[in-house]
Amino acid sequence: MRTYSVHHMMLTSLLILWAIVASTASTSHPGTRKYSFYSLKEHHVSPKDWIRGERAPRQHQLSLHIGLAQENFKELEKKLEEISTPGHPRFRLHLTAQAVRALVQPSNKTIDAVKEWLEGYEVPVELLEFSPSRDWIITPKLPISLVEKLLHTSYHVYRKQNVTIVRTEDWSLPLHLHGLIDIVQPTTSFSQMRPLSILSQSRQVQSSTQPSLNDAAEDIADGVDILHKIDLSNPPVDMTPKTACNTSAVTPICLRTLYGTLNYTAQAAEKNSMALTNYWGEFNNRSDIKRYLHLYRPEAAEAANDFTIYDIGGAVNQQTPATASQLERGQGREGNLDAQVMLGVGSPTRLVTYSVGGEPPPYQPDVSLPDNTNEPFLTWLQYILAQTELPTVVSTSYADTEYTVPPSYAKWVCNSFAQLGARGVTVVFGSGDWGVGDPKQCHSPAGNPRFVARFPESCPYGTSVGATRNINPEIVAYNDRNGFVSGGGFSEYFARPAYQDHAVNSYISRLEGLHDGLYNSHGRAYPDVAAMGYRIVTVWNGTTKVVDGTSASAPIFAAVVALVNDALIAEGKPPLGFLNPWLYSGGFRAFTDVTLGSTRGCNTSGFPAMSGWDAASGFGTPWFPMFRSLASQNRFRQTYPWYID
Ligand SMILES: *[C@@H]1O[C@H](CO)[C@@H](O)[C@H](O)[C@H]1NC(C)=O
Ligand SMILES: *[C@@H]1O[C@H](CO)[C@@H](O)[C@H](O)[C@H]1NC(C)=O
Ligand SMILES: *[C@@H]1O[C@H](CO)[C@@H](O)[C@H](O)[C@H]1NC(C)=O
Ligand SMILES: *[C@@H]1O[C@H](CO)[C@@H](O)[C@H](O)[C@H]1NC(C)=O
Ligand SMILES: *[C@@H]1O[C@H](CO)[C@@H](O)[C@H](O)[C@H]1NC(C)=O
Ligand SMILES: *[C@@H]1O[C@H](CO)[C@@H](O)[C@H](O)[C@H]1NC(C)=O
Ligand SMILES: *[C@@H]1O[C@H](CO)[C@@H](O)[C@H](O)[C@H]1NC(C)=O
């Protein structure tokens, strides 16, 4: 396990030392400013809710993350397609870390050219950090004036409510580097990666019309009162959703019955693991998780002590009592929920948690302090791609509107998910909690009415999970009391991947022009699948609560994937990896179609659920016995679409 913060502190002090040396030596070794031919590399308008203020204070420092062109990414993409397409001779022959690295590694010529450029501005190249694939260069903290010269730009302070960041909307590069560098951050990314749970503080502050915290985080009595008739230590195998589910307080016994995992006995738990990510200062409180498991999945209670914690980039998966202000913000609720439902369904599969640095609001308003770079997603990806052992599935319940990040950033992050997919990891996201959009955000960057796409759910290399409520029939989840509506839509950045072309075209034609012009009908459409996300039971601060959100749906689905992987591994087969091509070419038959409800939002009825794939519930909810059996076959007849026309 590596903690970047310590490293960065060390780099900062070395940098001070270097600055002294450099200033005394500057006359004898002048910087070779030979790059006068700069031109604009990227322009990305800040989202409207960020207000641009004064120039960045001169004492501000930034560590630049420079993403080099991944010269063979096309080759990786092609390999990934082969690996994930049923029937292909390479189906599920996942790549090793070394093989992926070899494909994304930039050439030495590229690295040398970038180093030479940095050296020309007296950046201490011996202090540069490289990712294992050498596709990322991370500079030590540099004075803002130097960064501004490197990128021919001016940084400003941007404010949104009480959050303060230092960013720019344009940056340039010497002409000869345009093809060699894909991305430099922090520059134009305004992403906040908020928790998707309806309880999140950010949601509270977004609109005064939202319910109060207490309203959304409804307390209910502990487990014994919910399903007192069931002996949870020894549930009958013939249970049905009707006997196992209280749809106003959803617990693991309901989820396991509804998705058919209840009488599956895991066989490869020691060779398999499932993971979740914590951003925004979230944590997974072992004592709350233990209480939840004790109440709702007693035989798995020990897992609360056993899950693995990785702290990255200065994060701490806090296990000490929450402070008064953390309690007030509801800190830990997202983290607890994710870990609880994942273990509640996926146990005895081992859980791994990654906590990534980045303070929750309110940020230190003093922007002159060298702050974290606030690009936790990049930090996590650089960390996990450096590991040789990976979990077979990772769930992420954090997102932001797509237009808060520039296309270069979205593409880079998405390509990194492709690398994980090629290595056999299924990457799972929630689909968002605002239907087609929060009315205040329903505009294009230019100000025209438009649905709001979300990132990372719009990445075609992830599997996006919408939320459902009720049983028999399951419907697209909403909660009129707190404004929650399961999200879905179409990316403005990512073109529609071939694997979903047929399903999505069929859906769009059945919309008969509904909402034309409000969404990108050529974009990657999501969600892909769905799972329960309404009145999910969780334990936080010692008490049982019910919450809503696709932030529950994602880890629930990920846990089912973990159990399918368990069955595959036990049969000596590789895990699922990147799921979508399999799903859209036949795997969908293992899903219960959800045909009722819609993703209303932006003052519209949103996208309706229909038979077959739709932009509200994807293919629907998983049925494990079929999921497992289809997953262990290597090929399908190409039967899609069997239910249309
Ligand atoms: C590229 O540079 C690395 C590290 O300096 C070196 O190990 C490798 O041999 C070089 N590759 C080529 C093809 O020159
Ligand atoms: C901003 O900070 C002030 C003072 O610390 C606080 O009273 C206020 O509630 C904060 N507003 C938001 C939206 O967090
Ligand atoms: C279902 O859960 C609610 C709490 O939300 C509880 O009041 C009710 O008694 C439960 N119903 C049953 C049948 O257990
Ligand atoms: C669970 O096991 C019982 C008895 O072995 C079997 O009849 C039933 O179909 C199984 N249920 C599922 C969902 O696989
Ligand atoms: C957290 O738990 C403590 C102790 O039970 C209680 O006094 C406090 O009100 C709780 N806080 C919240 C926000 O639920
Ligand atoms: C949504 O409808 C309400 C009430 O008709 C209106 O006040 C509001 O401006 C509308 N918002 C958008 C984004 O169209
Ligand atoms: C987390 O767990 C500790 C005990 O390990 C407990 O004292 C504390 O209150 C918990 N924090 C939260 C936010 O629930």
Side-chain angles (χ1 to χ4, degrees), residues 66-392:
I66 302 170
L68 306 184
Q70 299 173 327
E71 297 179 11
N72 294 317
F73 187 77
K74 281 260 170 301
E75 185 64 23
L76 178 79
E77 220 167 16
K78 184 168 154 274
K79 286 228 157 68
L80 178 59
E81 193 184 322
E82 296 171 358
I83 292 167
S84 49
T85 303
H88 194 278
R90 296 187 54 87
F91 184 50
R92 295 220 185 108
L93 297 179
H94 303 306
L95 303 182
T96 61
Q98 291 85 333
V100 169
R101 276 174 210 163
L103 287 172
V104 296
Q105 190 143 24
S107 68
N108 285 357
K109 245 178 89 187
T110 296
I111 293 172
D112 291 345
V114 173
K115 274 168 115 171
E116 194 188 19
W117 165 59
L118 293 172
E119 210 161 20
Y121 285 88
E122 299 185 359
V123 174
V125 291
E126 65 284 2
L127 296 185
L128 297 177
E129 283 186 77
F130 286 85
S131 64
S133 317
R134 299 169 67 79
D135 55 345
W136 276 109
I137 297 180
I138 300 154
T139 73
K141 291 229 153 110
L142 304 173
I144 194 83
S145 54
L146 176 54
V147 174
E148 290 184 340
K149 278 184 207 144
L150 274 168
L151 301 175
H152 278 205
T153 188
S154 312
Y155 277 81
H156 284 79
V157 175
Y158 288 81
R159 293 187 176 83
K160 178 175 155 183
Q161 287 147 2
N162 288 3
V163 182
T164 304
I165 59 176
V166 171
R167 291 292 186 275
T168 175
E169 294 172 52
D170 306 276
W171 55 280
S172 299
L173 281 178
L175 275 175
H176 75 288
L177 295 179
H178 274 233
L180 307 184
I181 292 177
D182 280 348
I183 166 176
V184 176
Q185 290 294 347
T187 50
T188 50
S189 169
F190 291 82
S191 160
Q192 292 267 277
M193 302 314 300
R194 286 169 295 227
L196 285 172
S197 154
I198 191 72
L199 295 176
S200 66
Q201 173 73 1
S202 55
R203 188 169 178 123
Q204 297 303 320
V205 300
Q206 268 170 7
S207 159
S208 53
T209 64
Q210 287 305 309
S212 75
L213 215 54
N214 291 338
D215 213 13
E218 189 177 310
D219 282 6
I220 60 167
D222 278 349
V224 280
D225 297 326
I226 293 176
L227 290 159
H228 46 89
K229 292 184 291 286
I230 302 171
D231 173 9
L232 288 175
S233 330
N234 191 19
V237 289
D238 63 349
M239 211 143 45
T240 63
K242 202 165 178 294
T243 57
C245 289
N246 177 344
T247 53
S248 60
V250 173
T251 61
I253 192 75
C254 169
L255 298 167
R256 296 166 72 208
T257 308
L258 188 60
Y259 303 141
T261 63
L262 185 62
N263 57 4
Y264 176 69
T265 306
Q267 306 154 72
E270 72 295 342
K271 293 185 194 149
N272 189 18
S273 64
M274 55 186 180
L276 61 82
T277 54
N278 298 306
Y279 296 98
W280 208 244
E282 281 295 320
F283 49 80
N284 319 108
N285 187 294
R286 289 192 193 274
S287 71
D288 282 342
I289 295 167
K290 186 151 196 172
R291 179 164 177 77
Y292 171 91
L293 292 172
H294 172 72
L295 289 169
Y296 307 110
R297 182 133 189 216
E299 93 278 11
E302 269 312 299
N305 301 330
D306 293 345
F307 66 82
T308 309
I309 287 175
Y310 292 107
D311 290 333
I312 304 161
V316 175
N317 196 327
Q318 183 181 321
Q319 299 301 325
T320 52
T323 63
S325 94
Q326 285 180 320
L327 284 174
E328 197 195 326
R329 288 201 300 271
Q331 200 82 29
R333 288 194 292 210
E334 178 70 56
N336 281 4
L337 169 70
D338 296 354
Q340 288 164 6
V341 297
M342 215 158 173
L343 284 170
V345 175
S347 202
T349 310
R350 288 176 302 126
L351 177 67
V352 172
T353 69
Y354 301 102
S355 298
V356 189
E359 282 296 301
Y363 281 89
Q364 284 287 354
D366 181 4
V367 290
S368 65
L369 291 174
D371 61 3
N372 64 71
T373 56
N374 192 29
E375 289 303 336
F377 239 175
L378 295 180
T379 305
W380 179 68
L381 285 163
Q382 284 157 21
Y383 174 86
I384 192 160
L385 287 169
Q387 310 302 309
T388 44
E389 295 268 319
L390 296 177
T392 64

